[in-house]
PDB file of all heavy atoms in Angstrom:
ATOM      1  N   VAL A 893      28.449-198.541  38.996  1.00 98.00           N
ATOM      2  CA  VAL A 893      27.100-198.087  38.637  1.00 98.00           C
ATOM      3  C   VAL A 893      26.583-197.255  39.800  1.00 98.00           C
ATOM      4  O   VAL A 893      26.431-197.744  40.919  1.00 98.00           O
ATOM      5  CB  VAL A 893      26.162-199.276  38.351  1.00 98.00           C
ATOM      6  CG1 VAL A 893      24.751-198.776  38.049  1.00 98.00           C
ATOM      7  CG2 VAL A 893      26.692-200.107  37.183  1.00 98.00           C
ATOM      8  N   ILE A 894      26.318-195.993  39.526  1.00 99.00           N
ATOM      9  CA  ILE A 894      25.970-195.030  40.562  1.00 99.00           C
ATOM     10  C   ILE A 894      24.744-194.248  40.103  1.00 99.00           C
ATOM     11  O   ILE A 894      24.558-194.011  38.911  1.00 99.00           O
ATOM     12  CB  ILE A 894      27.151-194.058  40.806  1.00 99.00           C
ATOM     13  CG1 ILE A 894      28.370-194.825  41.342  1.00 99.00           C
ATOM     14  CG2 ILE A 894      26.769-192.920  41.755  1.00 99.00           C
ATOM     15  CD1 ILE A 894      29.666-194.032  41.301  1.00 99.00           C
ATOM     16  N   GLY A 895      23.915-193.850  41.061  1.00 98.00           N
ATOM     17  CA  GLY A 895      22.824-192.943  40.715  1.00 98.00           C
ATOM     18  C   GLY A 895      21.483-193.347  41.280  1.00 98.00           C
ATOM     19  O   GLY A 895      21.205-194.530  41.513  1.00 98.00           O
ATOM     20  N   PRO A 896      20.608-192.376  41.507  1.00 98.00           N
ATOM     21  CA  PRO A 896      19.332-192.625  42.183  1.00 98.00           C
ATOM     22  C   PRO A 896      18.344-193.469  41.388  1.00 98.00           C
ATOM     23  O   PRO A 896      17.422-194.040  41.980  1.00 98.00           O
ATOM     24  CB  PRO A 896      18.785-191.210  42.415  1.00 98.00           C
ATOM     25  CG  PRO A 896      19.432-190.366  41.363  1.00 98.00           C
ATOM     26  CD  PRO A 896      20.797-190.945  41.188  1.00 98.00           C
ATOM     27  N   ASN A 897      18.494-193.539  40.077  1.00 98.00           N
ATOM     28  CA  ASN A 897      17.568-194.338  39.272  1.00 98.00           C
ATOM     29  C   ASN A 897      18.136-195.693  38.858  1.00 98.00           C
ATOM     30  O   ASN A 897      17.484-196.441  38.128  1.00 98.00           O
ATOM     31  CB  ASN A 897      17.146-193.566  38.020  1.00 98.00           C
ATOM     32  CG  ASN A 897      16.138-192.474  38.331  1.00 98.00           C
ATOM     33  OD1 ASN A 897      15.417-192.551  39.326  1.00 98.00           O
ATOM     34  ND2 ASN A 897      16.083-191.450  37.496  1.00 98.00           N
ATOM     35  N   ALA A 898      19.344-196.006  39.348  1.00 98.00           N
ATOM     36  CA  ALA A 898      20.000-197.236  38.909  1.00 98.00           C
ATOM     37  C   ALA A 898      19.272-198.493  39.358  1.00 98.00           C
ATOM     38  O   ALA A 898      19.252-199.498  38.641  1.00 98.00           O
ATOM     39  CB  ALA A 898      21.446-197.269  39.412  1.00 98.00           C
ATOM     40  N   ASN A 899      18.672-198.438  40.528  1.00 98.00           N
ATOM     41  CA  ASN A 899      18.038-199.649  41.051  1.00 98.00           C
ATOM     42  C   ASN A 899      16.617-199.366  41.537  1.00 98.00           C
ATOM     43  O   ASN A 899      16.128-199.994  42.464  1.00 98.00           O
ATOM     44  CB  ASN A 899      18.879-200.234  42.194  1.00 98.00           C
ATOM     45  CG  ASN A 899      18.570-201.704  42.432  1.00 98.00           C
ATOM     46  OD1 ASN A 899      18.254-202.446  41.495  1.00 98.00           O
ATOM     47  ND2 ASN A 899      18.657-202.135  43.671  1.00 98.00           N
ATOM     48  N   ASP A 900      15.937-198.426  40.883  1.00 98.00           N
ATOM     49  CA  ASP A 900      14.572-198.053  41.234  1.00 98.00           C
ATOM     50  C   ASP A 900      13.627-198.625  40.171  1.00 98.00           C
ATOM     51  O   ASP A 900      13.527-198.109  39.060  1.00 98.00           O
ATOM     52  CB  ASP A 900      14.442-196.530  41.294  1.00 98.00           C
ATOM     53  CG  ASP A 900      13.098-196.067  41.840  1.00 98.00           C
ATOM     54  OD1 ASP A 900      12.103-196.815  41.694  1.00 98.00           O
ATOM     55  OD2 ASP A 900      13.029-194.956  42.396  1.00 98.00           O
ATOM     56  N   ALA A 901      12.936-199.701  40.528  1.00 98.00           N
ATOM     57  CA  ALA A 901      12.072-200.381  39.553  1.00 98.00           C
ATOM     58  C   ALA A 901      10.851-199.543  39.193  1.00 98.00           C
ATOM     59  O   ALA A 901      10.426-199.508  38.035  1.00 98.00           O
ATOM     60  CB  ALA A 901      11.629-201.735  40.111  1.00 98.00           C
ATOM     61  N   GLU A 902      10.294-198.861  40.166  1.00 97.00           N
ATOM     62  CA  GLU A 902       9.046-198.121  39.954  1.00 97.00           C
ATOM     63  C   GLU A 902       9.186-197.031  38.899  1.00 97.00           C
ATOM     64  O   GLU A 902       8.269-196.776  38.109  1.00 97.00           O
ATOM     65  CB  GLU A 902       8.577-197.503  41.275  1.00 97.00           C
ATOM     66  CG  GLU A 902       7.230-196.802  41.179  1.00 97.00           C
ATOM     67  CD  GLU A 902       6.830-196.124  42.475  1.00 97.00           C
ATOM     68  OE1 GLU A 902       7.635-196.137  43.433  1.00 97.00           O
ATOM     69  OE2 GLU A 902       5.721-195.573  42.524  1.00 97.00           O
ATOM     70  N   VAL A 903      10.335-196.380  38.873  1.00 98.00           N
ATOM     71  CA  VAL A 903      10.551-195.276  37.940  1.00 98.00           C
ATOM     72  C   VAL A 903      10.375-195.726  36.494  1.00 98.00           C
ATOM     73  O   VAL A 903       9.865-194.987  35.648  1.00 98.00           O
ATOM     74  CB  VAL A 903      11.957-194.668  38.160  1.00 98.00           C
ATOM     75  CG1 VAL A 903      12.339-193.732  37.016  1.00 98.00           C
ATOM     76  CG2 VAL A 903      12.007-193.924  39.481  1.00 98.00           C
ATOM     77  N   LEU A 904      10.769-196.947  36.187  1.00 98.00           N
ATOM     78  CA  LEU A 904      10.711-197.454  34.817  1.00 98.00           C
ATOM     79  C   LEU A 904       9.293-197.547  34.270  1.00 98.00           C
ATOM     80  O   LEU A 904       9.096-197.530  33.052  1.00 98.00           O
ATOM     81  CB  LEU A 904      11.371-198.837  34.742  1.00 98.00           C
ATOM     82  CG  LEU A 904      12.893-198.834  34.867  1.00 98.00           C
ATOM     83  CD1 LEU A 904      13.392-200.157  35.402  1.00 98.00           C
ATOM     84  CD2 LEU A 904      13.529-198.530  33.524  1.00 98.00           C
ATOM     85  N   LEU A 905       8.304-197.646  35.147  1.00 98.00           N
ATOM     86  CA  LEU A 905       6.930-197.881  34.701  1.00 98.00           C
ATOM     87  C   LEU A 905       6.192-196.606  34.312  1.00 98.00           C
ATOM     88  O   LEU A 905       5.074-196.684  33.777  1.00 98.00           O
ATOM     89  CB  LEU A 905       6.145-198.616  35.795  1.00 98.00           C
ATOM     90  CG  LEU A 905       6.675-199.998  36.179  1.00 98.00           C
ATOM     91  CD1 LEU A 905       5.752-200.645  37.201  1.00 98.00           C
ATOM     92  CD2 LEU A 905       6.840-200.897  34.966  1.00 98.00           C
ATOM     93  N   GLY A 906       6.788-195.439  34.541  1.00 98.00           N
ATOM     94  CA  GLY A 906       6.099-194.203  34.172  1.00 98.00           C
ATOM     95  C   GLY A 906       4.827-194.039  34.976  1.00 98.00           C
ATOM     96  O   GLY A 906       4.809-194.162  36.194  1.00 98.00           O
ATOM     97  N   ASN A 907       3.705-193.771  34.288  1.00 98.00           N
ATOM     98  CA  ASN A 907       2.413-193.713  34.970  1.00 98.00           C
ATOM     99  C   ASN A 907       1.372-194.418  34.118  1.00 98.00           C
ATOM    100  O   ASN A 907       1.656-194.885  33.022  1.00 98.00           O
ATOM    101  CB  ASN A 907       2.009-192.271  35.290  1.00 98.00           C
ATOM    102  CG  ASN A 907       1.703-191.437  34.056  1.00 98.00           C
ATOM    103  OD1 ASN A 907       1.853-191.865  32.922  1.00 98.00           O
ATOM    104  ND2 ASN A 907       1.278-190.212  34.271  1.00 98.00           N
ATOM    105  N   TYR A 908       0.159-194.532  34.629  1.00 98.00           N
ATOM    106  CA  TYR A 908      -0.894-195.300  33.958  1.00 98.00           C
ATOM    107  C   TYR A 908      -0.340-196.654  33.498  1.00 98.00           C
ATOM    108  O   TYR A 908      -0.412-197.011  32.325  1.00 98.00           O
ATOM    109  CB  TYR A 908      -1.458-194.517  32.774  1.00 98.00           C
ATOM    110  CG  TYR A 908      -2.361-193.379  33.172  1.00 98.00           C
ATOM    111  CD1 TYR A 908      -1.906-192.069  33.161  1.00 98.00           C
ATOM    112  CD2 TYR A 908      -3.674-193.611  33.574  1.00 98.00           C
ATOM    113  CE1 TYR A 908      -2.734-191.010  33.536  1.00 98.00           C
ATOM    114  CE2 TYR A 908      -4.506-192.569  33.941  1.00 98.00           C
ATOM    115  CZ  TYR A 908      -4.030-191.269  33.922  1.00 98.00           C
ATOM    116  OH  TYR A 908      -4.857-190.232  34.294  1.00 98.00           O
ATOM    117  N   ASN A 909       0.194-197.399  34.431  1.00 98.00           N
ATOM    118  CA  ASN A 909       0.913-198.627  34.099  1.00 98.00           C
ATOM    119  C   ASN A 909       0.261-199.862  34.692  1.00 98.00           C
ATOM    120  O   ASN A 909      -0.501-199.786  35.657  1.00 98.00           O
ATOM    121  CB  ASN A 909       2.346-198.545  34.616  1.00 98.00           C
ATOM    122  CG  ASN A 909       2.406-198.287  36.116  1.00 98.00           C
ATOM    123  OD1 ASN A 909       2.271-197.156  36.554  1.00 98.00           O
ATOM    124  ND2 ASN A 909       2.596-199.345  36.890  1.00 98.00           N
ATOM    125  N   GLY A 910       0.573-201.011  34.099  1.00 97.00           N
ATOM    126  CA  GLY A 910       0.182-202.291  34.650  1.00 97.00           C
ATOM    127  C   GLY A 910       1.240-202.810  35.611  1.00 97.00           C
ATOM    128  O   GLY A 910       2.186-202.096  35.968  1.00 97.00           O
ATOM    129  N   GLU A 911       1.074-204.053  36.016  1.00 98.00           N
ATOM    130  CA  GLU A 911       1.989-204.660  36.986  1.00 98.00           C
ATOM    131  C   GLU A 911       2.613-205.915  36.383  1.00 98.00           C
ATOM    132  O   GLU A 911       2.046-207.003  36.479  1.00 98.00           O
ATOM    133  CB  GLU A 911       1.233-204.997  38.274  1.00 98.00           C
ATOM    134  CG  GLU A 911       0.629-203.777  38.960  1.00 98.00           C
ATOM    135  CD  GLU A 911      -0.288-204.140  40.120  1.00 98.00           C
ATOM    136  OE1 GLU A 911      -0.221-205.296  40.591  1.00 98.00           O
ATOM    137  OE2 GLU A 911      -1.069-203.268  40.540  1.00 98.00           O
ATOM    138  N   PRO A 912       3.755-205.777  35.735  1.00 98.00           N
ATOM    139  CA  PRO A 912       4.405-206.941  35.120  1.00 98.00           C
ATOM    140  C   PRO A 912       4.960-207.899  36.165  1.00 98.00           C
ATOM    141  O   PRO A 912       5.117-207.542  37.335  1.00 98.00           O
ATOM    142  CB  PRO A 912       5.530-206.310  34.295  1.00 98.00           C
ATOM    143  CG  PRO A 912       5.834-205.027  34.999  1.00 98.00           C
ATOM    144  CD  PRO A 912       4.522-204.541  35.551  1.00 98.00           C
ATOM    145  N   LYS A 913       5.261-209.122  35.712  1.00 98.00           N
ATOM    146  CA  LYS A 913       5.800-210.123  36.637  1.00 98.00           C
ATOM    147  C   LYS A 913       7.137-209.687  37.219  1.00 98.00           C
ATOM    148  O   LYS A 913       7.439-209.938  38.382  1.00 98.00           O
ATOM    149  CB  LYS A 913       5.961-211.460  35.904  1.00 98.00           C
ATOM    150  CG  LYS A 913       4.650-212.101  35.479  1.00 98.00           C
ATOM    151  CD  LYS A 913       4.896-213.276  34.540  1.00 98.00           C
ATOM    152  CE  LYS A 913       3.577-213.808  33.992  1.00 98.00           C
ATOM    153  NZ  LYS A 913       3.767-214.775  32.889  1.00 98.00           N
ATOM    154  N   HIS A 914       7.948-209.029  36.388  1.00 98.00           N
ATOM    155  CA  HIS A 914       9.278-208.628  36.845  1.00 98.00           C
ATOM    156  C   HIS A 914       9.717-207.382  36.097  1.00 98.00           C
ATOM    157  O   HIS A 914       9.452-207.237  34.907  1.00 98.00           O
ATOM    158  CB  HIS A 914      10.292-209.753  36.612  1.00 98.00           C
ATOM    159  CG  HIS A 914      11.682-209.406  37.055  1.00 98.00           C
ATOM    160  ND1 HIS A 914      12.011-209.237  38.375  1.00 98.00           N
ATOM    161  CD2 HIS A 914      12.819-209.169  36.345  1.00 98.00           C
ATOM    162  CE1 HIS A 914      13.301-208.919  38.468  1.00 98.00           C
ATOM    163  NE2 HIS A 914      13.806-208.866  37.257  1.00 98.00           N
ATOM    164  N   ILE A 915      10.390-206.480  36.798  1.00 98.00           N
ATOM    165  CA  ILE A 915      10.926-205.252  36.208  1.00 98.00           C
ATOM    166  C   ILE A 915      12.446-205.329  36.263  1.00 98.00           C
ATOM    167  O   ILE A 915      13.022-205.556  37.331  1.00 98.00           O
ATOM    168  CB  ILE A 915      10.439-204.012  36.980  1.00 98.00           C
ATOM    169  CG1 ILE A 915       8.902-203.959  37.009  1.00 98.00           C
ATOM    170  CG2 ILE A 915      11.006-202.738  36.364  1.00 98.00           C
ATOM    171  CD1 ILE A 915       8.358-203.004  38.062  1.00 98.00           C
ATOM    172  N   VAL A 916      13.087-205.161  35.126  1.00 98.00           N
ATOM    173  CA  VAL A 916      14.548-205.200  35.075  1.00 98.00           C
ATOM    174  C   VAL A 916      15.084-203.779  35.242  1.00 98.00           C
ATOM    175  O   VAL A 916      14.911-202.933  34.351  1.00 98.00           O
ATOM    176  CB  VAL A 916      15.052-205.799  33.748  1.00 98.00           C
ATOM    177  CG1 VAL A 916      16.584-205.842  33.743  1.00 98.00           C
ATOM    178  CG2 VAL A 916      14.480-207.188  33.535  1.00 98.00           C
ATOM    179  N   THR A 917      15.716-203.507  36.367  1.00 98.00           N
ATOM    180  CA  THR A 917      16.301-202.186  36.603  1.00 98.00           C
ATOM    181  C   THR A 917      17.599-202.042  35.807  1.00 98.00           C
ATOM    182  O   THR A 917      18.196-203.043  35.369  1.00 98.00           O
ATOM    183  CB  THR A 917      16.611-201.979  38.090  1.00 98.00           C
ATOM    184  OG1 THR A 917      17.637-202.911  38.472  1.00 98.00           O
ATOM    185  CG2 THR A 917      15.370-202.167  38.952  1.00 98.00           C
ATOM    186  N   PRO A 918      18.092-200.814  35.632  1.00 98.00           N
ATOM    187  CA  PRO A 918      19.396-200.648  34.981  1.00 98.00           C
ATOM    188  C   PRO A 918      20.508-201.447  35.656  1.00 98.00           C
ATOM    189  O   PRO A 918      21.333-202.062  34.973  1.00 98.00           O
ATOM    190  CB  PRO A 918      19.633-199.139  35.095  1.00 98.00           C
ATOM    191  CG  PRO A 918      18.254-198.553  35.056  1.00 98.00           C
ATOM    192  CD  PRO A 918      17.412-199.519  35.849  1.00 98.00           C
ATOM    193  N   LEU A 919      20.511-201.458  36.987  1.00 98.00           N
ATOM    194  CA  LEU A 919      21.555-202.205  37.698  1.00 98.00           C
ATOM    195  C   LEU A 919      21.471-203.686  37.372  1.00 98.00           C
ATOM    196  O   LEU A 919      22.490-204.321  37.044  1.00 98.00           O
ATOM    197  CB  LEU A 919      21.428-201.985  39.206  1.00 98.00           C
ATOM    198  CG  LEU A 919      22.421-202.780  40.062  1.00 98.00           C
ATOM    199  CD1 LEU A 919      23.846-202.380  39.758  1.00 98.00           C
ATOM    200  CD2 LEU A 919      22.107-202.592  41.554  1.00 98.00           C
ATOM    201  N   GLU A 920      20.272-204.250  37.439  1.00 98.00           N
ATOM    202  CA  GLU A 920      20.128-205.679  37.146  1.00 98.00           C
ATOM    203  C   GLU A 920      20.533-205.981  35.703  1.00 98.00           C
ATOM    204  O   GLU A 920      21.224-206.975  35.428  1.00 98.00           O
ATOM    205  CB  GLU A 920      18.688-206.134  37.378  1.00 98.00           C
ATOM    206  CG  GLU A 920      18.479-207.627  37.118  1.00 98.00           C
ATOM    207  CD  GLU A 920      17.038-208.074  37.217  1.00 98.00           C
ATOM    208  OE1 GLU A 920      16.229-207.363  37.852  1.00 98.00           O
ATOM    209  OE2 GLU A 920      16.721-209.135  36.654  1.00 98.00           O
ATOM    210  N   GLY A 921      20.114-205.138  34.788  1.00 98.00           N
ATOM    211  CA  GLY A 921      20.466-205.351  33.385  1.00 98.00           C
ATOM    212  C   GLY A 921      21.961-205.321  33.157  1.00 98.00           C
ATOM    213  O   GLY A 921      22.514-206.174  32.449  1.00 98.00           O
ATOM    214  N   ILE A 922      22.621-204.352  33.777  1.00 98.00           N
ATOM    215  CA  ILE A 922      24.078-204.222  33.617  1.00 98.00           C
ATOM    216  C   ILE A 922      24.801-205.399  34.265  1.00 98.00           C
ATOM    217  O   ILE A 922      25.762-205.956  33.710  1.00 98.00           O
ATOM    218  CB  ILE A 922      24.552-202.877  34.205  1.00 98.00           C
ATOM    219  CG1 ILE A 922      24.043-201.722  33.335  1.00 98.00           C
ATOM    220  CG2 ILE A 922      26.073-202.827  34.312  1.00 98.00           C
ATOM    221  CD1 ILE A 922      24.202-200.350  33.967  1.00 98.00           C
ATOM    222  N   GLN A 923      24.348-205.814  35.436  1.00 98.00           N
ATOM    223  CA  GLN A 923      24.991-206.953  36.111  1.00 98.00           C
ATOM    224  C   GLN A 923      24.916-208.217  35.268  1.00 98.00           C
ATOM    225  O   GLN A 923      25.883-208.991  35.189  1.00 98.00           O
ATOM    226  CB  GLN A 923      24.336-207.185  37.475  1.00 98.00           C
ATOM    227  CG  GLN A 923      24.703-206.134  38.516  1.00 98.00           C
ATOM    228  CD  GLN A 923      23.899-206.262  39.793  1.00 98.00           C
ATOM    229  OE1 GLN A 923      22.749-206.718  39.776  1.00 98.00           O
ATOM    230  NE2 GLN A 923      24.475-205.852  40.917  1.00 98.00           N
ATOM    231  N   LYS A 924      23.778-208.441  34.619  1.00 98.00           N
ATOM    232  CA  LYS A 924      23.629-209.632  33.782  1.00 98.00           C
ATOM    233  C   LYS A 924      24.468-209.537  32.516  1.00 98.00           C
ATOM    234  O   LYS A 924      25.103-210.508  32.086  1.00 98.00           O
ATOM    235  CB  LYS A 924      22.159-209.844  33.425  1.00 98.00           C
ATOM    236  CG  LYS A 924      21.318-210.362  34.573  1.00 98.00           C
ATOM    237  CD  LYS A 924      19.884-210.649  34.137  1.00 98.00           C
ATOM    238  CE  LYS A 924      19.064-211.217  35.292  1.00 98.00           C
ATOM    239  NZ  LYS A 924      17.650-211.458  34.899  1.00 98.00           N
ATOM    240  N   ALA A 925      24.464-208.368  31.886  1.00 98.00           N
ATOM    241  CA  ALA A 925      25.195-208.208  30.628  1.00 98.00           C
ATOM    242  C   ALA A 925      26.708-208.255  30.842  1.00 98.00           C
ATOM    243  O   ALA A 925      27.444-208.802  30.020  1.00 98.00           O
ATOM    244  CB  ALA A 925      24.799-206.893  29.958  1.00 98.00           C
ATOM    245  N   PHE A 926      27.156-207.667  31.951  1.00 97.00           N
ATOM    246  CA  PHE A 926      28.592-207.612  32.248  1.00 97.00           C
ATOM    247  C   PHE A 926      28.931-208.639  33.324  1.00 97.00           C
ATOM    248  O   PHE A 926      29.478-208.316  34.376  1.00 97.00           O
ATOM    249  CB  PHE A 926      28.983-206.197  32.701  1.00 97.00           C
ATOM    250  CG  PHE A 926      28.889-205.165  31.614  1.00 97.00           C
ATOM    251  CD1 PHE A 926      27.688-204.524  31.358  1.00 97.00           C
ATOM    252  CD2 PHE A 926      29.994-204.846  30.835  1.00 97.00           C
ATOM    253  CE1 PHE A 926      27.589-203.570  30.355  1.00 97.00           C
ATOM    254  CE2 PHE A 926      29.905-203.896  29.826  1.00 97.00           C
ATOM    255  CZ  PHE A 926      28.699-203.254  29.577  1.00 97.00           C
ATOM    256  N   SER A 927      28.611-209.893  33.036  1.00 97.00           N
ATOM    257  CA  SER A 927      28.769-210.956  34.038  1.00 97.00           C
ATOM    258  C   SER A 927      30.234-211.250  34.357  1.00 97.00           C
ATOM    259  O   SER A 927      30.538-211.809  35.420  1.00 97.00           O
ATOM    260  CB  SER A 927      28.076-212.242  33.557  1.00 97.00           C
ATOM    261  OG  SER A 927      28.586-212.629  32.293  1.00 97.00           O
ATOM    262  N   ASN A 928      31.143-210.868  33.466  1.00 96.00           N
ATOM    263  CA  ASN A 928      32.574-211.101  33.712  1.00 96.00           C
ATOM    264  C   ASN A 928      33.280-209.868  34.269  1.00 96.00           C
ATOM    265  O   ASN A 928      34.508-209.847  34.375  1.00 96.00           O
ATOM    266  CB  ASN A 928      33.260-211.537  32.416  1.00 96.00           C
ATOM    267  CG  ASN A 928      32.736-212.876  31.921  1.00 96.00           C
ATOM    268  OD1 ASN A 928      32.475-213.772  32.721  1.00 96.00           O
ATOM    269  ND2 ASN A 928      32.570-213.006  30.617  1.00 96.00           N
ATOM    270  N   THR A 929      32.497-208.856  34.592  1.00 98.00           N
ATOM    271  CA  THR A 929      33.036-207.600  35.123  1.00 98.00           C
ATOM    272  C   THR A 929      32.618-207.450  36.587  1.00 98.00           C
ATOM    273  O   THR A 929      31.518-207.847  36.965  1.00 98.00           O
ATOM    274  CB  THR A 929      32.488-206.399  34.317  1.00 98.00           C
ATOM    275  OG1 THR A 929      32.853-206.557  32.949  1.00 98.00           O
ATOM    276  CG2 THR A 929      33.033-205.081  34.834  1.00 98.00           C
ATOM    277  N   ASN A 930      33.480-206.896  37.392  1.00 98.00           N
ATOM    278  CA  ASN A 930      33.129-206.581  38.777  1.00 98.00           C
ATOM    279  C   ASN A 930      32.278-205.308  38.766  1.00 98.00           C
ATOM    280  O   ASN A 930      32.801-204.194  38.659  1.00 98.00           O
ATOM    281  CB  ASN A 930      34.392-206.381  39.617  1.00 98.00           C
ATOM    282  CG  ASN A 930      34.066-205.995  41.056  1.00 98.00           C
ATOM    283  OD1 ASN A 930      32.932-206.153  41.516  1.00 98.00           O
ATOM    284  ND2 ASN A 930      35.062-205.469  41.766  1.00 98.00           N
ATOM    285  N   VAL A 931      30.951-205.488  38.868  1.00 98.00           N
ATOM    286  CA  VAL A 931      30.025-204.356  38.850  1.00 98.00           C
ATOM    287  C   VAL A 931      29.738-203.940  40.290  1.00 98.00           C
ATOM    288  O   VAL A 931      29.135-204.696  41.054  1.00 98.00           O
ATOM    289  CB  VAL A 931      28.711-204.708  38.120  1.00 98.00           C
ATOM    290  CG1 VAL A 931      27.736-203.530  38.177  1.00 98.00           C
ATOM    291  CG2 VAL A 931      28.989-205.104  36.672  1.00 98.00           C
TER     292      VAL A 931
END
């Protein structure tokens, strides 16, 4: 998993946004989904 937006939580919120308890980045999402893969 490569790239400048892979682990940037802020980018996901766009603008005019609230503050959720947790933001799932692409990297975190992929790591959880592919738990049997070396990510």
Side-chain angles (χ1 to χ4, degrees):
V893 177
I894 296 166
N897 285 335
N899 201 33
D900 188 333
E902 184 184 4
V903 167
L904 288 154
L905 299 184
N907 67 356
Y908 285 102
N909 57 279
E911 299 172 16
K913 293 169 187 169
H914 180 68
I915 303 164
V916 181
T917 65
L919 177 62
E920 181 185 339
I922 291 168
Q923 287 172 330
K924 286 184 178 178
F926 292 86
S927 56
N928 296 321
T929 301
N930 178 16
V931 177

